[in-house]
Amino acid sequence: MSCAFSPEIAVDVEAVLATVHSNIGMPLVAHKVLDLMHSGQVNAHALAAVIAQDQALALRVLKLANSPYYGFSRRISTVRDAVVILGDKALRNMVLILAMKGMHNHFGNTERLLWEESAAYAMGARFIAENVPGVHPEEAFMAGLMSNVGEVVSNNDDPQRFLMVFDRCRRQNLCDESSCPELPYPFTVLGAAVLSSWNFSPLLVASLYYVETEDLMGDSEDLLFRLCAVVFLARQLCRSLKLGGYQGSTHPVRAGYSGRALGLDGTALQNLQSDFATFFTENAPTLLYPD
C-alpha cells in the first residue's frame, strides 16, 4: 500500500509517551551536545568543552576518531582537534553512537542485536549517502543511528513483550510491526515521539516515521524525501546481511521506493549491496565495539 510523503508528522507525542513507563531521557552530555548544535553558536572550543565534561566519553571519542573508520592519517590527540579536523557533525555522531549504546538498561543478547542494528544502519546510511547526491553523509549517519530508537525504548520498557515481537519479526523477516497487537504503537511511531520529545529536527523525526514504509510517494528532488529513502535502503541492506537477527536473503535487496527515489537501477543496487557488505566487514568492529 502506497503512502504520500509529508514532512509534517501527525504523532500525538504526549499520548504515545504516556504508554512508556521507563526512563527515556538521553544521556546528559549527548543532550548538551545536541543543544549546542541546535543553538547555532557551536564552535570547536565550546563543543570540546562539553564533551570533556565526561572524561570517559572524551577518551572513547578520541579512540573512535583515530579508528580506521574515519581514515585520518594524522593522530588526533585532543577532542578540540577532532572537532576541527573531522567537523562538528562527525563529533556529534560519535557522541550519539556512544550514547545509544549506553541507553540499554541491561545488555544481553537482544540488546546486542539491537545495538548491532543501530550501528549498522548508521554505517549503511552514511555509505549510501556518499554514493548518491543530495544527502549529507553525517546527517544520513545520524538518521540511520536513530532509526532504531523506538525498538530500544520499547525493549527497556517491557523486555518480555519486546522479545516476543522481536523474535517473531526476525524469524519471519517482517519489516512492519504495526500488525503486532501486543504493541500500543508501532516502533516507528514510538521512535518519532521520542525524537520529538528530545527536540530533534523534523527532518530526523520524519526519516524515522517513514523508515518501514516500502512504497512512499514523493518528489525525488526533495532532500528530506531523499534522506528517508537513504535510511530505508540502509536498513534493507543491513537486513540482507543478516544483521540484528534477521534471516537475510540471497536475493537482491528489497529496495522498495528507494531505488526509484535515488536513481538506482537493479544493477546499481546489486553493486551497492556487494560494496557495502565488503565495507561493513572491514569497518564494523570500530563502531560496534567502540569501547
Side-chain angles (χ1 to χ4, degrees):
M1 182 177 178
S2 63
C3 173
F5 169 77
S6 171
E8 302 297 326
I9 304 304
V11 172
D12 187 335
V13 174
E14 187 174 340
V16 174
L17 297 187
T19 67
V20 179
H21 305 292
S22 62
N23 176 35
I24 60 167
M26 178 176 286
L28 182 60
V29 172
H31 204 288
K32 288 182 177 180
V33 167
L34 287 176
D35 285 347
L36 186 61
M37 297 286 290
H38 292 157
S39 72
Q41 300 177 355
V42 64
N43 57 61
H45 178 76
L47 186 54
V50 169
I51 295 173
Q53 292 175 14
D54 185 328
Q55 186 177 19
L57 175 64
L59 290 172
R60 292 197 296 272
V61 163
L62 286 176
K63 181 178 178 181
L64 199 52
N66 284 294
S67 69
Y69 180 73
Y70 285 94
F72 195 74
S73 57
R74 179 186 134 196
R75 179 162 182 79
I76 299 172
S77 56
T78 69
V79 174
R80 188 179 184 282
D81 285 347
V83 179
V84 172
I85 295 168
L86 297 175
D88 53 11
K89 289 184 178 180
L91 259 291
R92 172 203 63 192
N93 288 344
M94 287 183 194
V95 170
L96 287 176
I97 199 165
L98 294 167
M100 278 291 288
K101 188 175 184 183
M103 274 188 66
H104 297 284
N105 290 343
H106 47 280
F107 207 82
N109 186 58
T110 300
E111 292 72 32
R112 178 184 62 79
L113 292 173
L114 280 176
W115 166 241
E116 286 182 0
E117 278 190 349
S118 298
Y121 294 160
M123 292 176 67
R126 189 176 191 265
F127 182 84
I128 295 166
E130 289 174 339
N131 286 276
V132 300
V135 178
H136 193 293
E138 294 301 339
E139 292 298 335
F141 182 100
M142 185 177 182
L145 178 67
M146 290 297 162
S147 70
N148 232 22
V149 75
E151 285 91 329
V152 173
V153 170
S154 181
N155 181 56
N156 281 343
D157 193 52
D158 190 335
Q160 190 171 19
R161 179 186 66 193
F162 177 80
L163 183 60
M164 181 168 53
V165 174
F166 181 86
D167 283 345
R168 184 190 311 149
C169 288
R170 272 51 178 182
R171 283 198 312 271
Q172 299 176 22
N173 272 1
L174 296 177
C175 294
D176 181 10
E177 78 292 337
S178 61
S179 61
C180 298
E182 302 89 351
L183 297 173
Y185 293 94
F187 297 138
T188 50
V189 174
L190 175 58
V194 171
L195 292 191
S196 294
S197 74
W198 288 348
N199 295 318
F200 273 68
S201 70
L203 178 145
L204 266 296
V205 175
S207 69
L208 193 160
Y209 183 79
Y210 290 116
V211 81
E212 298 291 9
T213 304
E214 191 168 356
D215 191 9
L216 188 62
M217 307 301 294
D219 180 2
S220 61
E221 299 298 316
D222 184 330
L223 298 186
L224 178 50
F225 180 69
R226 291 181 69 81
L227 177 65
C228 292
V230 164
V231 179
F232 176 87
L233 180 56
R235 290 168 65 98
Q236 300 307 314
L237 285 177
C238 291
R239 288 168 179 175
S240 74
L241 295 176
K242 302 184 180 181
L243 301 177
Y246 281 92
Q247 299 302 307
S249 173
T250 57
H251 301 293
V253 63
R254 194 166 86 181
Y257 76 95
S258 63
R260 179 181 69 252
L262 299 173
L264 300 171
D265 60 19
T267 300
L269 286 167
Q270 284 185 319
N271 290 338
L272 194 68
Q273 184 178 23
S274 174
D275 292 345
F276 177 66
T278 302
F279 175 82
F280 183 83
T281 300
E282 293 173 351
N283 292 279
T286 298
L287 290 186
L288 290 178
Y289 309 107
D291 297 330

